[in-house]
Amino acid sequence: MQAKKLHSSSMSRRTFLKATAAVATAAGAATLPFGQTYAQGTTKYRRLNLLNPEAKRTINSYKKAIHVMLRLPPEDPRNWYRIALTHTMDCPHGNWWFLVWHRGYIGWFEQICRELSGDPSFALPYWDWTENTDPKNPFQPGVPDVMFEDVLTPAHPAYIGQSSEFQARLREVIARASYWKRIYTDGQFDDETQYGQLLARGVRSPDDLWFDILDDPRGLFFFDQAHARGLTREKPGFDEKTTKAVSLQTLLAALSPRDFTTFNSPKTVGHSGLTGFGVLEGQPHNRVHNCVGGIFTDEKGRTTDSGGFMQANLSPVDPLFFLHHANIDRLWDVWTRKQQALGYPVLPEGSDYKAWSDEPFLFFVDSKGQPVTKRTAGDYATIGDFNYSYQPGSGEQIIPQGLAIAAAKAAASARIEHFNAQITDSTVSAGDGASGDVAIPPALLQARSRLDEPILFAKVTVALPPLGHGHDFAVLVNAPDNAAIDPSSPHYAGTLSMFGHHIVHAPVTFTVPLSGALAAIREGNQLKAGAPLNIQVVPEKMAMPGVLTATRDVETRAEVLSIVVESH
């Protein structure tokens, strides 16, 4: 197999982004010809789009709550940094508890904000990164200007400015906290305790936790004020790969799966494990975290890391975190209502549901700082007592209305099909990539222009080095030698990225939508009838989270174990 080399595309960045916006808008209109929103039930609280003029009062209340939490003593579990450390110690990523854990986390956080702001109607606004763009460049999404005001940016002086001060304020408090209490049942250590959950992550003591935060040579969790957020007020826009990941085209694909694990992320036996990423987590979620956190790829394909909390497991130090995850939760709600309209399952089924719903979540606290009584995943399977709904945003058009429901339900009877690729070259290394050929029935390769036509996904399973969390790989479809490894290429399907620090114990499966790339190469007459698809996984320049360095080339190796194409 020939090496894939980076080169500049002949298509300008602005032209490409205009074309992407037009294609996504057309795809949304043609594929989903219903355009109205599916009604949500009456709720007490309403989560508004951050840029809605009505959200101004909510944003002011958010600022008040943050100011109070920053001033609370670290002994109070509602202290801003104590709340962020909950994410560090317990958050699931790359597994099927990703959505439900974060629903509980931001749900209780919202109630804390309601209490401390003195605003009894407070509901978290959400950041619709698909819709919200840079006012100076309407074709480039990015951080809204309001999120650089006052304490809405972690660069504000009210935040702890240096890691030494952070440790001085919190070290003794963390050491005395209940996290480390050893509980035995019938003489056996109880894994379903806070300490048991920490041990599952390899955190044996407060020293282990502080090592992860401040001393890990792979990258830190804490960033000083100069590097608290990677994107700035002067340069708030996403890079092209993140722009592609949050596009309407990618979003509609992320909402298309018909089963819970493909939409969410794959199963594991515990929420500390990492198995893989669905489109929603692997594309917009991971890319936005890393880009806002300063891991940025420029137009020449060079990756730099300017630092920022959003790229690491202390990401909730940045107030954007909660608005980012409110949007992720909103999209779960959209997907749920789509599933209900079509008669598809909305949660794991059978014995899978029990295994999923019984998972213990033991670190949440309520608006008074007390441990919550809802302590399992099943407690957050629905919005329930949090009692909020969302102002409609991007993705609502996936939900069929009126006559379109009948056509959608007819399509629902089609089974999910699977096609295994023949791997022709499995090794990914610097300058070269892995490749597989997969035969797809011609009818499935047609452009998705109607609701009853399928979306195709590639599930790519990769064996990574144990510390391979900083490696990114691009997925290309029918790409010629020396094709551009960037979103301006019609062959580009997406980038495989992880968020945060993980020790990789097993192969990781990434799900990537193919339909956009297939439409683009068909438009260029590069899709031959009857010929197998060639799917390539090629290395990108490596970005080590949390290490503030200049651009560099780093040797990376990985093994592609399988590529499975699915139709949904």
Side-chain angles (χ1 to χ4, degrees):
M1 177 179 173
Q2 297 294 319
K4 297 290 176 189
K5 299 179 181 178
L6 289 166
H7 67 79
S8 299
S9 169
S10 59
M11 184 185 296
S12 74
R13 185 174 187 278
R14 178 170 289 273
T15 300
F16 166 70
L17 292 172
K18 284 182 178 179
T20 299
V23 167
T25 301
T31 306
L32 308 160
F34 13 88
Q36 300 178 358
T37 62
Y38 190 79
Q40 300 181 61
T42 301
T43 58
K44 185 174 182 179
Y45 305 103
R46 188 74 160 166
R47 291 182 175 178
L48 300 175
N49 186 316
L50 171 65
L51 295 190
N52 186 316
E54 296 178 15
K56 184 175 181 180
R57 176 174 169 276
T58 302
I59 293 166
N60 287 335
S61 293
Y62 191 34
K63 292 176 185 175
K64 290 178 184 177
I66 295 170
H67 271 292
V68 173
M69 282 185 264
L70 286 168
R71 292 195 300 265
L72 286 175
E75 289 80 8
D76 192 321
R78 301 170 300 172
N79 168 279
W80 185 258
Y81 293 95
R82 289 287 301 277
I83 291 171
L85 281 166
T86 297
H87 185 267
T88 307
M89 295 185 289
D90 197 46
C91 62
H93 293 102
N95 64 56
W96 63 341
W97 287 289
F98 163 70
L99 290 172
V100 71
W101 187 93
H102 286 85
R103 171 172 284 172
Y105 183 55
I106 69 170
W108 291 113
F109 173 79
E110 180 176 70
Q111 293 195 4
I112 292 170
C113 288
R114 197 173 293 146
E115 172 82 9
L116 298 181
S117 68
D119 180 356
S121 65
F122 177 83
L124 274 171
Y126 69 87
W127 173 27
D128 186 345
W129 7 258
T130 300
E131 176 186 307
N132 299 162
T133 57
D134 179 356
K136 300 174 185 176
N137 183 355
F139 298 102
Q140 183 178 36
V143 177
D145 192 67
V146 67
M147 294 307 295
F148 294 99
E149 292 181 0
D150 196 48
V151 287
L152 298 180
T153 170
H156 189 275
Y159 289 83
I160 296 175
Q162 300 292 329
S163 58
S164 57
E165 182 185 357
F166 176 66
Q167 185 171 201
R169 286 199 199 180
L170 281 100
R171 189 176 188 99
E172 290 305 314
V173 171
I174 296 302
R176 295 194 304 268
S178 62
Y179 310 136
W180 318 101
K181 185 176 181 180
R182 303 183 184 191
I183 298 174
Y184 295 85
T185 302
D186 297 329
Q188 299 294 316
F189 174 70
D190 188 351
D191 288 335
E192 294 194 2
T193 59
Q194 289 183 329
Y195 190 44
Q197 299 299 300
L198 288 167
L199 289 177
R201 294 171 181 267
V203 178
R204 302 162 300 175
S205 66
D207 285 342
D208 282 346
L209 181 63
W210 288 108
F211 174 84
D212 290 344
I213 295 171
L214 301 176
D215 298 317
D216 192 333
R218 297 169 296 166
L220 310 181
F221 291 1
F222 190 93
F223 296 83
D224 63 30
Q225 224 136 44
H227 302 285
R229 183 186 286 167
L231 297 184
T232 65
R233 196 166 213 160
E234 294 70 33
K235 293 183 178 180
F238 294 158
D239 61 14
E240 288 187 5
K241 290 170 186 172
T242 308
T243 296
K244 168 71 172 178
V246 304
S247 68
L248 182 60
Q249 183 183 69
T250 301
L251 193 67
L252 294 177
L255 293 167
S256 295
R258 291 188 267 161
D259 65 285
F260 181 78
T261 53
T262 301
F263 168 69
N264 190 355
S265 286
K267 295 191 290 184
T268 57
V269 294
H271 73 275
S272 62
L274 185 148
T275 305
F277 301 90
V279 176
L280 183 63
E281 184 180 4
Q283 294 299 312
H285 171 265
N286 288 1
R287 293 298 309 182
V288 168
H289 263 289
N290 290 337
C291 187
V292 173
I295 301 174
F296 191 95
T297 304
D298 67 18
E299 294 183 4
K300 295 183 180 180
R302 300 173 302 188
T303 298
T304 57
D305 182 354
S306 58
F309 283 102
M310 276 287 279
Q311 67 173 255
N313 288 354
L314 262 178
S315 49
V317 170
D318 191 328
L320 262 175
F321 171 95
F322 295 97
L323 279 57
H324 174 43
H325 273 278
N327 197 42
I328 294 289
D329 184 72
R330 179 186 69 83
L331 292 168
W332 182 17
D333 179 62
V334 170
W335 180 84
T336 297
R337 289 183 284 118
K338 182 264 293 185
Q339 296 287 100
Q340 290 170 333
L342 299 177
Y344 289 139
V346 298
L347 292 169
E349 296 185 285
S351 60
D352 276 352
Y353 178 76
K354 179 170 175 52
W356 178 83
S357 64
D358 286 350
E359 182 69 7
F361 295 164
L362 306 177
F363 288 79
F364 300 152
V365 296
D366 65 16
S367 63
K368 304 297 184 183
Q370 297 301 310
V372 304
T373 56
K374 295 185 175 182
R375 294 163 56 85
T376 66
D379 290 324
Y380 306 101
T382 65
I383 291 170
D385 292 342
F386 288 139
N387 202 14
Y388 60 79
S389 60
Y390 286 98
Q391 177 188 22
S394 300
E396 286 280 339
Q397 59 266 61
I398 198 77
I399 303 170
Q401 301 292 314
L403 296 176
I405 295 178
K409 285 188 174 181
S413 62
R415 63 187 178 89
I416 298 172
E417 297 190 74
H418 308 262
F419 306 93
N420 295 316
Q422 179 66 45
I423 304 297
T424 55
D425 191 342
S426 64
T427 302
V428 183
S429 60
D432 204 358
S435 178
D437 293 325
V438 55
I440 307 292
L444 292 178
L445 294 178
Q446 299 306 307
R448 187 174 189 260
S449 58
R450 301 192 314 271
L451 185 63
D452 58 350
E453 292 176 341
I455 283 279
L456 296 182
F457 299 92
K459 291 188 173 181
V460 181
T461 300
V462 186
L464 296 167
L467 306 182
H469 60 277
H471 300 287
D472 285 354
F473 304 95
V475 176
L476 307 177
V477 182
N478 283 17
D481 293 340
N482 301 318
I485 307 177
D486 64 64
S488 63
S489 167
H491 305 278
Y492 174 90
T495 292
L496 313 182
S497 302
M498 285 198 282
F499 153 72
H501 285 190
H502 305 279
I503 298 176
V504 183
H505 295 291
V508 180
T509 300
F510 297 85
T511 303
V512 181
L514 298 179
S515 294
L518 290 174
I521 62 178
R522 184 187 301 104
E523 183 71 19
N525 296 317
Q526 295 172 299
L527 191 63
K528 296 180 181 178
L533 285 183
N534 179 255
I535 299 174
Q536 298 165 343
V537 181
V538 298
E540 298 184 354
K541 291 184 183 294
M542 182 173 141
M544 286 294 287
V547 183
L548 305 179
T549 66
T551 302
R552 63 234 181 256
D553 291 302
V554 180
E555 173 71 22
T556 177
R557 291 182 64 84
E559 198 79 13
V560 173
L561 303 181
S562 70
I563 300 173
V564 180
V565 175
E566 290 185 358
S567 65
H568 284 254

